[in-house]
Amino acid sequence: MKRVLLLLLFWITAVIGSTAQIVDINTEHIDADSLRRELDNGPYFTLYKDNYFTAGTAIGQRPTNTNSDVKFQVSIAQRLTKSTLPFNTYLFLFYSQKCMWNVFEESMPMHDLNFNPGIGLAKHLFVKNRYIGKATLLVEHESNGRDGINSRSWNKISLATNIFIDPNFMIHGKIWIPIIDGMNNKDILDYCGIYQTGMAYTSPNKRFGFALTLVKRRGWRLSYNSIWEINYRLFKKDNQFLFLQYYNGYGENLLDYNRFHSRMRVGLVIKPNFFSDY
């Protein structure tokens, strides 16, 4: 059954994109070049991934000060060019930082900080006069900035896509070529994976959202890390949401990349205006 669901998800990603649309250019009497210019005139400095602040505890255990924590993420991007590079691509820089904070322990130590800078080449996707999403080639680094036995780091050359099935439903995927330079995490692909895929849904009134991301761990077994997210917009004109995230699997942070976590957290999230990258 799992194999059937996996094949179905990949079939949807590969096939349905040719009919997906978020903007029908013919209907709105504008052409692809006009829409591309409109996208290019957006802000150069933006949010990249979700920016959130959450707190929670382990599932299936009695909450204690050692299995409960705060998790937050800051993620930004700076576009360097308009879509004037070959094949109508544009260049941008991005930076994400994720923190696991043991706020319930004495002295409230920061358990792990993960830094994820990189550079990307992106292209808006148009099919049959319809805008359907974005494809991105990324060169990225991820490390926790430590030395000695606690040092963790790796690099990736990644290809990512975000495809709209309709204005409210998006599927996304990302696959990478790893370059592992960390001496203490040579087996990181067994836990942090070799590719990821997922979906995101937003209600027509833009108040409610749901997202699921699956990260495939290395090996022939159908073993995944899963991230389930629900968000609810607090006020109609604000970009702040109540946020619930459930993480199940390995690789939630680099220091403990080979330890299993099953944790539920709630908090606030600020989302990019158009769509989040994953």
Side-chain angles (χ1 to χ4, degrees), residues 52-203:
Y52 56 79
F53 190 95
T54 61
T57 191
I59 298 297
Q61 304 177 28
R62 182 177 65 86
T64 67
N65 61 346
T66 57
N67 66 8
S68 306
D69 64 3
V70 162
K71 176 184 177 183
F72 63 87
Q73 177 172 276
V74 176
S75 183
I76 56 175
Q78 172 69 36
R79 194 168 59 187
L80 300 177
T81 70
K82 293 188 176 183
S83 301
T84 54
L85 299 181
F87 306 105
N88 295 314
T89 58
Y90 65 90
L91 198 64
F92 69 98
L93 297 173
F94 64 89
Y95 175 78
S96 299
Q97 181 174 310
K98 182 171 59 179
C99 176
M100 316 300 292
W101 186 9
N102 291 344
V103 69
F104 302 106
E105 296 184 10
E106 187 176 354
S107 78
M108 298 187 294
M110 295 288 183
H111 179 68
D112 199 30
L113 278 169
N114 295 170
F115 307 94
N116 179 211
I119 187 169
L121 186 68
K123 176 178 173 60
H124 297 301
L125 301 177
F126 296 86
V127 173
K128 297 179 180 178
N129 275 343
R130 293 167 180 170
Y131 177 62
I132 65 167
K134 183 178 72 172
T136 313
L137 179 65
L138 304 167
V139 179
E140 53 186 319
H141 170 77
E142 188 175 15
S143 66
N144 65 353
R146 298 195 184 193
D147 57 10
I149 61 173
N150 290 324
S151 174
R152 309 282 189 271
S153 67
W154 64 326
N155 306 286
K156 294 185 286 186
I157 301 173
S158 308
L159 180 63
T161 58
N162 301 71
I163 302 294
F164 284 96
I165 304 305
D166 62 41
N168 304 114
F169 185 70
M170 182 186 76
I171 56 177
H172 59 87
K174 185 177 181 181
I175 189 169
W176 49 81
I177 300 172
I179 305 170
I180 302 171
D181 56 354
M183 297 301 297
N184 301 311
N185 52 264
K186 293 296 186 181
D187 59 347
I188 195 168
L189 298 183
D190 295 333
Y191 301 95
C192 293
I194 54 177
Y195 68 83
Q196 69 182 43
T197 187
M199 54 78 65
Y201 171 79
T202 303
S203 63

